[in-house]
């Protein structure tokens, strides 16, 4: 869903794989806004292969094609916790919980960059070893806005009702604003609305832009 006070030049409802309707692209004069609900890999990880070998690949191709024309702001529930610090009790969840499998995290790092170190054989064998933020240092020309402005601050945006995640602060950072590097000078800040906790198990993430950044 995109709600806008200023009508975009165009709106495209698309999908990168299949017909699940997970992608909306709003074109403005100076940038694209892309909102996505990335597929969850499933509690039993039954969709992990689809997610990492099909969806993520096509999503990178889509983002790359758009950024050839103008800067991109990619946002939404991206269903991945990139860094070890982006999920509570990460040792219990690595490669066991959807959104925190090595392949999901590596693929996201290909877009926004990471620590620049490949996952070693030892790390792949031992689930309790830290990975940091997987991915090459450069990525493909996009920036994780929360990490750019908030650095190492806790950024959880999701707490499961099923497991009483909020009272225990058993949180995940699943929601993102990912922006083209060349657009970063137009971004003032990226913040969480932590007080807006209610019917949803997510809280809003806000990207503040300079006036005139889009149109």
């Amino acid at each position: 869903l995109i709600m806008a006070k200023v009508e975009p030049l165009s709106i495209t409802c698309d999908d990168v794989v299949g017909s699940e309707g997970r992608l909306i692209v709003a074109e403005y004069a100076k940038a694209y806004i892309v909102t996505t609900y990335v597929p969850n890999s499933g509690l039993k990880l039954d969709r992990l292969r689809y997610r990492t070998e099909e969806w993520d690949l096509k999503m990178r191709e889509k983002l790359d094609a758009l950024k050839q024309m103008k800067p991109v702001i990619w946002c939404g529930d991206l269903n991945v916790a990139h860094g070890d610090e982006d999920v509570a009790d990460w040792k219990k969840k690595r490669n066991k919980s959807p959104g925190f499998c090595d392949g999901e995290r590596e693929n996201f790092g290909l877009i926004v960059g990471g620590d620049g170190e490949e996952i070693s054989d030892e790390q792949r064998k031992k689930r309790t070893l830290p990975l940091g933020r997987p991915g090459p240092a450069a990525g493909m020309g996009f920036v994780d806005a929360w990490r750019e402005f908030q650095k190492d601050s806790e950024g959880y945006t999701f707490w499961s009702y099923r497991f009483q995640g909020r009272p225990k602060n058993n949180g995940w950072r699943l929601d993102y604003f990912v922006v083209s590097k060349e657009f970063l000078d137009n971004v003032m800040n990226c913040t969480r609305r932590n007080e807006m906790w209610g019917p949803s198990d997510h809280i809003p993430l806000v990207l503040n832009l300079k006036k005139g950044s889009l149109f």
Side-chain angles (χ1 to χ4, degrees):
L1 174 66
I2 293 180
M3 301 177 67
K5 290 184 177 180
V6 177
E7 185 176 353
L9 299 177
S10 67
I11 286 280
T12 304
C13 297
D14 198 359
D15 200 6
V16 294
V17 179
S19 58
E20 296 184 351
R22 294 177 175 272
L23 187 75
I24 302 175
V25 179
E27 180 185 5
Y28 285 93
K30 298 180 181 179
Y32 290 104
I33 296 179
V34 181
T35 185
T36 310
Y37 175 53
V38 171
N40 187 294
S41 294
L43 287 177
K44 296 182 179 180
L45 304 180
D46 51 295
R47 300 194 83 196
L48 179 62
R49 186 170 180 177
Y50 163 76
R51 160 73 185 273
T52 57
E53 297 182 13
E54 294 186 58
W55 169 273
D56 287 348
L57 175 62
K58 294 296 184 181
M59 190 69 228
R60 289 199 302 274
E61 291 176 353
K62 182 72 174 182
L63 292 172
D64 187 59
L66 290 173
K67 79 182 183 71
Q68 301 305 319
M69 296 180 281
K70 61 181 72 175
V72 175
I73 302 170
W74 180 34
C75 60
D77 178 354
L78 305 188
N79 262 322
V80 63
H82 186 204
D84 296 332
E85 71 275 24
D86 292 327
V87 61
D89 295 328
W90 65 265
K91 290 183 180 181
K92 296 180 180 179
K93 294 168 181 165
R94 184 184 160 209
N95 288 333
K96 293 184 71 176
S97 299
F100 203 60
C101 293
D102 293 355
E104 296 167 311
R105 300 169 66 192
E106 287 177 294
N107 285 349
F108 188 70
L110 291 175
I111 297 173
V112 301
D115 295 333
E117 299 289 337
E118 292 188 7
I119 300 176
S120 68
D121 291 340
E122 183 182 5
Q123 287 173 313
R124 292 193 187 280
K125 291 176 183 176
K126 191 170 183 179
R127 191 172 52 81
T128 56
L129 290 178
L131 299 185
R133 298 171 193 162
M140 54 180 281
F142 288 94
V143 175
D144 175 351
W146 174 267
R147 283 286 163 240
E148 181 70 21
F149 288 93
Q150 304 298 340
K151 305 305 178 188
D152 295 327
S153 299
E154 178 187 292
Y156 302 157
T157 60
F158 167 83
W159 297 262
S160 172
Y161 279 123
R162 184 182 303 174
F163 303 109
Q164 297 184 321
R166 183 73 172 192
K168 301 174 184 177
N169 199 29
N170 186 7
W172 294 68
R173 187 168 78 96
L174 299 179
D175 302 273
Y176 293 79
F177 280 100
V178 173
V179 303
S180 300
K181 284 184 178 179
E182 66 268 26
F183 191 79
L184 195 57
D185 287 343
N186 295 296
V187 180
M188 298 170 64
N189 206 347
C190 185
T191 58
R192 297 183 304 162
R193 296 296 300 273
N194 201 38
E195 75 282 4
M196 295 184 68
W197 172 255
S200 175
D201 47 14
H202 292 253
I203 59 171
L205 188 69
V206 179
L207 190 74
N208 295 297
L209 302 178
K210 295 177 182 177
K211 188 175 182 180
S213 298
L214 293 177
F215 38 79

